[in-house]
Amino acid sequence: MQVENTHPRCFLGLLSCLFLAGLYVGSLYVWRSSSPRDHPSVIKRRCASVLLVSVVSPAVVKTWIHWADVKADVSVWELMGLRMDGLVAASILPLLLTMVFYLGPLVHSAIDNPKGFTGEMQCALDVQSWRRCAGDAVWLRNQVVAPVTEELVFRGAMLPMLVPCTGPTGAIVTAPLFFGVAHFHHVIEERRLGKESMSVILLVAGMQFLYTTVFGAFTAFIFMRTGHVVGPVLCHSFCNSQGLPDIRSALQHPHSSALLFSYLMGGLLFLVLLFPLTDQYFYGPIPICSLAPPPGSVC
């Protein structure tokens, strides 16, 4: 890749990312409705909107490549993490890493289940339960549409446009800011419903910005290390199903010592396995790293 004209390239990359973020959030509000965001009709319309934005996102990356005069040696699809090389490993290892981090909550859930770990596995593999979920609009939004579209747009499309300017590490830090800020649109709906005061709404929005930005940095790291978007999508879906770890509940639990040990071990194992499970050995050459100016530390 040629690396001249850095400043115009940076400007075009940031502008393109801002355009995509605005397009994604704006598509949620093209439909006029007085119903809350969890109403099935609202969910279906918004899902259609963000899916359309996701379909358009490769064209935005392609346009950026042309305007920024980027000489990429791979296709747009590969840059966005849509490739076959290392796909099986990319579908398993990042998800396993995320589940290790959630060891505490998973043990907590198993302890509270009357049937223990066996009961948890039965629930996870229950076909009827999956069929009911597939018919639930909220579940489909949270576990399928949101992870797929958000990772494709905010990681798959944005990271390639940021890497030539910021480098891999800088892109991992920068891209999640667009993701975090995009979630501030919930303030509009909460204010419209009027259930909470503005101070409470802003506090909740601030907390949401914090954890979505941190999570976005994690999935951006996974994308950069594996060169696949499937890992971030599956990790995103899993985290949406689990929510934030409830450490306060663990502290008040009759088996608090065992739970706290599980939380601690999960965090330590996550740190130990973070780089080994995302090693390039499992995934082959990383296409997005071809855009990185030397030295590409994460690549």
Side-chain angles (χ1 to χ4, degrees):
M1 184 204 74
Q2 296 180 358
V3 294
E4 70 276 4
N5 301 324
T6 302
H7 294 302
R9 183 172 292 151
C10 288
F11 174 76
L12 287 170
L14 290 171
L15 189 64
S16 299
C17 289
L18 184 61
F19 170 74
L20 266 180
L23 190 64
Y24 190 95
V25 175
S27 73
L28 301 174
Y29 293 94
V30 296
W31 309 99
R32 295 289 183 179
S33 176
S34 58
S35 302
R37 65 186 296 266
D38 287 339
H39 191 279
S41 64
V42 174
I43 291 175
K44 291 175 182 178
R45 290 172 179 175
R46 288 186 168 185
C47 284
S49 294
V50 295
L51 285 169
L52 180 60
V53 173
S54 299
V55 171
V56 170
S57 61
V60 175
V61 178
K62 185 71 174 179
T63 302
W64 166 80
I65 290 175
H66 175 72
W67 284 355
D69 193 26
V70 174
K71 307 302 181 184
D73 300 325
V74 293
S75 70
V76 171
W77 306 110
E78 290 175 299
L79 289 177
M80 294 182 66
L82 300 169
R83 62 195 186 97
M84 294 302 296
D85 190 20
L87 180 61
V88 174
S91 303
I92 297 174
L93 298 183
L95 179 59
L96 177 62
L97 180 65
T98 308
M99 294 176 72
V100 165
F101 178 77
Y102 272 86
L103 179 62
L106 291 173
V107 170
H108 193 163
S109 180
I111 289 176
D112 288 345
N113 190 316
K115 296 182 180 180
F117 283 99
T118 303
E120 288 293 294
M121 291 300 297
Q122 288 176 344
C123 290
L125 300 175
D126 182 43
V127 176
Q128 294 300 324
S129 177
W130 282 100
R131 286 178 178 174
R132 288 193 296 271
C133 288
D136 183 352
V138 174
W139 186 89
L140 285 174
R141 178 195 64 193
N142 294 344
Q143 307 306 132
V144 181
V145 178
V148 169
T149 60
E150 289 179 359
E151 294 305 322
L152 192 60
V153 171
F154 289 92
R155 252 65 73 183
M158 289 189 184
L159 285 170
M161 296 190 291
L162 292 172
V163 165
C165 174
T166 64
T169 303
I172 289 172
V173 174
T174 306
L177 297 177
F178 291 98
F179 184 59
V181 170
H183 284 77
F184 269 106
H185 76 90
H186 293 305
V187 172
I188 300 173
E189 183 160 3
E190 292 298 325
R191 187 60 177 167
R192 178 173 63 84
L193 295 175
K195 293 181 179 180
E196 302 286 354
S197 65
M198 193 60 188
S199 59
V200 172
I201 292 174
L202 290 176
L203 178 62
V204 172
M207 292 298 296
Q208 189 175 42
F209 168 78
L210 179 61
Y211 70 73
T212 52
T213 300
V214 172
F215 173 77
F218 169 64
T219 55
F221 174 85
I222 294 297
F223 182 93
M224 197 68 64
R225 293 278 292 176
T226 67
H228 282 274
V229 77
V230 65
V233 168
L234 294 175
C235 294
H236 194 149
S237 181
F238 177 78
C239 289
N240 278 0
S241 71
Q242 296 297 312
L244 291 174
D246 190 359
I247 298 178
R248 178 182 297 181
S249 177
L251 289 171
Q252 299 171 348
H253 198 277
H255 301 285
S256 59
S257 298
L259 289 178
L260 290 176
F261 177 77
S262 299
Y263 273 86
L264 179 61
M265 287 303 298
L268 291 175
L269 286 172
F270 173 81
L271 294 176
V272 169
L273 297 173
L274 182 61
F275 282 91
L277 290 186
T278 58
D279 192 276
Q280 185 177 334
Y281 169 81
F282 299 108
Y283 312 103
I286 310 300
I288 192 174
C289 289
S290 68
L291 301 180
S297 57
V298 176
C299 291

Short mmCIF file of all heavy atoms in Angstrom, two decimals, residues 28-46 188-189 192-193:
data_model
loop_
_atom_site.label_atom_id
_atom_site.label_comp_id
_atom_site.label_asym_id
_atom_site.label_seq_id
_atom_site.Cartn_x
_atom_site.Cartn_y
_atom_site.Cartn_z
N LEU A 28 -32.54 4.76 12.00
CA LEU A 28 -33.47 4.31 13.03
C LEU A 28 -34.67 5.25 13.18
O LEU A 28 -35.71 4.87 13.72
CB LEU A 28 -32.76 4.19 14.38
CG LEU A 28 -31.56 3.24 14.45
CD1 LEU A 28 -30.88 3.36 15.81
CD2 LEU A 28 -31.99 1.80 14.20
N TYR A 29 -34.49 6.49 12.70
CA TYR A 29 -35.52 7.50 12.94
C TYR A 29 -36.22 7.96 11.66
O TYR A 29 -36.93 8.96 11.67
CB TYR A 29 -34.88 8.71 13.65
CG TYR A 29 -34.43 8.36 15.05
CD1 TYR A 29 -33.12 7.96 15.31
CD2 TYR A 29 -35.33 8.39 16.11
CE1 TYR A 29 -32.72 7.61 16.58
CE2 TYR A 29 -34.94 8.04 17.39
CZ TYR A 29 -33.63 7.65 17.63
OH TYR A 29 -33.24 7.30 18.89
N VAL A 30 -36.03 7.22 10.58
CA VAL A 30 -36.75 7.57 9.35
C VAL A 30 -38.22 7.14 9.45
O VAL A 30 -39.07 7.62 8.71
CB VAL A 30 -36.11 6.91 8.11
CG1 VAL A 30 -34.71 7.45 7.89
CG2 VAL A 30 -36.08 5.39 8.23
N TRP A 31 -38.49 6.24 10.40
CA TRP A 31 -39.86 5.77 10.61
C TRP A 31 -40.51 6.58 11.73
O TRP A 31 -39.98 6.65 12.83
CB TRP A 31 -39.88 4.29 10.99
CG TRP A 31 -39.09 3.41 10.07
CD1 TRP A 31 -37.82 2.94 10.26
CD2 TRP A 31 -39.53 2.89 8.82
NE1 TRP A 31 -37.44 2.16 9.21
CE2 TRP A 31 -38.46 2.10 8.30
CE3 TRP A 31 -40.71 3.01 8.08
CZ2 TRP A 31 -38.55 1.45 7.08
CZ3 TRP A 31 -40.79 2.34 6.86
CH2 TRP A 31 -39.73 1.58 6.38
N ARG A 32 -41.64 7.17 11.45
CA ARG A 32 -42.37 7.93 12.46
C ARG A 32 -43.25 6.99 13.26
O ARG A 32 -44.07 6.27 12.70
CB ARG A 32 -43.24 9.01 11.81
CG ARG A 32 -42.43 10.11 11.10
CD ARG A 32 -41.73 10.99 12.10
NE ARG A 32 -41.00 12.08 11.45
CZ ARG A 32 -40.32 12.99 12.10
NH1 ARG A 32 -40.25 12.94 13.43
NH2 ARG A 32 -39.69 13.94 11.44
N SER A 33 -43.09 6.98 14.58
CA SER A 33 -43.90 6.10 15.41
C SER A 33 -43.93 6.64 16.84
O SER A 33 -42.92 7.16 17.34
CB SER A 33 -43.34 4.68 15.41
OG SER A 33 -44.07 3.86 16.29
N SER A 34 -45.09 6.50 17.48
CA SER A 34 -45.22 6.91 18.88
C SER A 34 -45.00 5.73 19.82
O SER A 34 -45.02 5.88 21.04
CB SER A 34 -46.62 7.50 19.12
OG SER A 34 -47.62 6.55 18.78
N SER A 35 -44.75 4.55 19.25
CA SER A 35 -44.55 3.34 20.06
C SER A 35 -43.12 3.30 20.59
O SER A 35 -42.20 3.87 20.00
CB SER A 35 -44.81 2.09 19.22
OG SER A 35 -46.12 2.09 18.69
N PRO A 36 -42.91 2.62 21.72
CA PRO A 36 -41.55 2.50 22.29
C PRO A 36 -40.68 1.63 21.41
O PRO A 36 -41.15 0.89 20.54
CB PRO A 36 -41.79 1.86 23.66
CG PRO A 36 -43.10 1.14 23.52
CD PRO A 36 -43.92 1.98 22.59
N ARG A 37 -39.36 1.67 21.64
CA ARG A 37 -38.38 0.98 20.79
C ARG A 37 -38.52 -0.53 20.82
O ARG A 37 -38.08 -1.21 19.89
CB ARG A 37 -36.96 1.38 21.18
CG ARG A 37 -36.55 0.95 22.58
CD ARG A 37 -35.17 1.50 22.95
NE ARG A 37 -34.12 0.97 22.10
CZ ARG A 37 -33.39 -0.10 22.42
NH1 ARG A 37 -33.61 -0.75 23.56
NH2 ARG A 37 -32.44 -0.52 21.61
N ASP A 38 -39.14 -1.10 21.88
CA ASP A 38 -39.29 -2.55 21.97
C ASP A 38 -40.59 -3.06 21.36
O ASP A 38 -40.88 -4.26 21.43
CB ASP A 38 -39.21 -3.00 23.44
CG ASP A 38 -37.80 -2.93 23.98
OD1 ASP A 38 -36.85 -2.93 23.18
OD2 ASP A 38 -37.63 -2.88 25.22
N HIS A 39 -41.39 -2.17 20.78
CA HIS A 39 -42.62 -2.61 20.11
C HIS A 39 -42.22 -3.37 18.84
O HIS A 39 -41.34 -2.95 18.09
CB HIS A 39 -43.48 -1.40 19.75
CG HIS A 39 -44.87 -1.77 19.31
ND1 HIS A 39 -45.16 -2.21 18.03
CD2 HIS A 39 -46.05 -1.79 20.00
CE1 HIS A 39 -46.44 -2.47 17.93
NE2 HIS A 39 -47.01 -2.22 19.11
N PRO A 40 -42.85 -4.53 18.58
CA PRO A 40 -42.47 -5.35 17.42
C PRO A 40 -42.43 -4.60 16.09
O PRO A 40 -41.53 -4.82 15.27
CB PRO A 40 -43.54 -6.46 17.41
CG PRO A 40 -43.95 -6.58 18.84
CD PRO A 40 -43.89 -5.19 19.40
N SER A 41 -43.40 -3.72 15.86
CA SER A 41 -43.43 -2.99 14.58
C SER A 41 -42.24 -2.05 14.46
O SER A 41 -41.65 -1.91 13.38
CB SER A 41 -44.74 -2.21 14.45
OG SER A 41 -44.84 -1.21 15.44
N VAL A 42 -41.87 -1.42 15.57
CA VAL A 42 -40.71 -0.52 15.56
C VAL A 42 -39.43 -1.31 15.33
O VAL A 42 -38.56 -0.91 14.55
CB VAL A 42 -40.62 0.26 16.90
CG1 VAL A 42 -39.34 1.09 16.95
CG2 VAL A 42 -41.83 1.16 17.07
N ILE A 43 -39.32 -2.46 15.99
CA ILE A 43 -38.13 -3.31 15.85
C ILE A 43 -37.97 -3.76 14.40
O ILE A 43 -36.86 -3.69 13.84
CB ILE A 43 -38.23 -4.53 16.78
CG1 ILE A 43 -38.10 -4.09 18.23
CG2 ILE A 43 -37.14 -5.55 16.44
CD1 ILE A 43 -38.31 -5.21 19.24
N LYS A 44 -39.05 -4.21 13.77
CA LYS A 44 -38.97 -4.71 12.40
C LYS A 44 -38.53 -3.62 11.43
O LYS A 44 -37.69 -3.84 10.55
CB LYS A 44 -40.32 -5.28 11.96
CG LYS A 44 -40.69 -6.57 12.70
CD LYS A 44 -42.08 -7.04 12.33
CE LYS A 44 -42.46 -8.30 13.11
NZ LYS A 44 -43.84 -8.76 12.82
N ARG A 45 -39.08 -2.42 11.59
CA ARG A 45 -38.71 -1.32 10.70
C ARG A 45 -37.26 -0.91 10.89
O ARG A 45 -36.52 -0.69 9.93
CB ARG A 45 -39.64 -0.12 10.95
CG ARG A 45 -41.07 -0.35 10.49
CD ARG A 45 -41.96 0.79 10.93
NE ARG A 45 -43.35 0.61 10.48
CZ ARG A 45 -44.35 1.41 10.82
NH1 ARG A 45 -44.12 2.43 11.62
NH2 ARG A 45 -45.56 1.18 10.37
N ARG A 46 -36.86 -0.83 12.15
CA ARG A 46 -35.48 -0.42 12.44
C ARG A 46 -34.48 -1.48 11.99
O ARG A 46 -33.38 -1.14 11.52
CB ARG A 46 -35.32 -0.12 13.93
CG ARG A 46 -36.01 1.18 14.35
CD ARG A 46 -35.72 1.53 15.80
NE ARG A 46 -36.15 2.88 16.11
CZ ARG A 46 -35.94 3.49 17.27
NH1 ARG A 46 -35.29 2.83 18.25
NH2 ARG A 46 -36.34 4.72 17.48
N ILE A 188 -32.82 10.44 23.22
CA ILE A 188 -33.98 11.03 22.55
C ILE A 188 -35.26 10.30 22.93
O ILE A 188 -36.27 10.92 23.30
CB ILE A 188 -33.78 10.98 21.01
CG1 ILE A 188 -32.53 11.77 20.62
CG2 ILE A 188 -35.01 11.50 20.29
CD1 ILE A 188 -32.17 11.64 19.15
N GLU A 189 -35.22 8.97 22.87
CA GLU A 189 -36.42 8.19 23.17
C GLU A 189 -36.77 8.23 24.64
O GLU A 189 -37.94 8.35 25.01
CB GLU A 189 -36.24 6.74 22.72
CG GLU A 189 -37.48 5.89 22.94
CD GLU A 189 -37.49 4.65 22.09
OE1 GLU A 189 -36.51 4.41 21.38
OE2 GLU A 189 -38.49 3.93 22.14
N ARG A 192 -38.41 11.42 25.32
CA ARG A 192 -39.77 11.45 24.76
C ARG A 192 -40.75 10.70 25.64
O ARG A 192 -41.88 11.14 25.85
CB ARG A 192 -39.77 10.84 23.35
CG ARG A 192 -41.13 10.78 22.68
CD ARG A 192 -41.01 10.33 21.24
NE ARG A 192 -40.48 9.00 21.13
CZ ARG A 192 -41.22 7.88 21.23
NH1 ARG A 192 -42.53 7.98 21.49
NH2 ARG A 192 -40.67 6.70 21.09
N LEU A 193 -40.32 9.56 26.20
CA LEU A 193 -41.20 8.78 27.07
C LEU A 193 -41.39 9.45 28.41
O LEU A 193 -42.42 9.24 29.07
CB LEU A 193 -40.62 7.37 27.25
CG LEU A 193 -40.56 6.50 25.98
CD1 LEU A 193 -39.87 5.18 26.28
CD2 LEU A 193 -41.96 6.26 25.42
#
